[in-house]
Amino acid sequence: YSGDERPARGRLSIGQVRLLHDYVNEKSGPAPTITELAQQCGIGPRRFMALFRAATGQTVRHWVDAQRMEKARRLLTETRIPLKVIAFELGFANQGVFSTAFKRTAGVSPREYRNSKS
């Protein structure tokens, strides 16, 4: 283990959190389940949830949702990919569900966000 890879007692290591970050950001489709994320770290789901919260101060679901919205922001500002394709890429049922979730976190619709950044 290098210095930041060694897990602190009772929490995930920085390396494990980095691995999860990459996994969530590279995954297309529905958000990964807690079981999938736990498997990435080689531990059971129940223990994973406790260690994750100790390491990040957030629930797994809250963190995953925040990662997905950050990916949405990047796609909206760095690409011209249509909103319905972004919604599909992030695993939302449709563009409307994506737009509602995005507006709840960003305060503006995806279209307004994109237009303000271009």
Side-chain angles (χ1 to χ4, degrees), residues 34-106:
I34 287 171
T35 300
E36 284 177 73
L37 295 173
Q39 287 172 342
Q40 292 295 310
C41 294
I43 53 182
R46 197 176 297 257
R47 179 150 172 73
F48 169 73
M49 287 190 297
L51 295 177
F52 186 91
R53 187 166 197 138
T56 66
Q58 301 178 59
T59 65
V60 176
R61 185 58 44 217
H62 184 267
W63 182 82
V64 167
D65 289 346
Q67 295 299 310
R68 292 170 76 212
M69 285 300 126
E70 188 55 40
K71 183 175 181 179
R73 285 184 185 92
R74 279 195 314 276
L75 291 171
L76 289 166
T77 57
E78 297 171 7
T79 73
R80 298 308 303 164
I81 297 172
L83 296 182
K84 66 182 175 188
V85 176
I86 292 174
F88 177 78
E89 168 79 15
L90 295 174
F92 287 92
N94 57 52
Q95 184 179 331
V97 174
F98 164 63
S99 292
T100 300
F102 188 88
K103 188 168 187 170
R104 192 174 333 132
T105 62

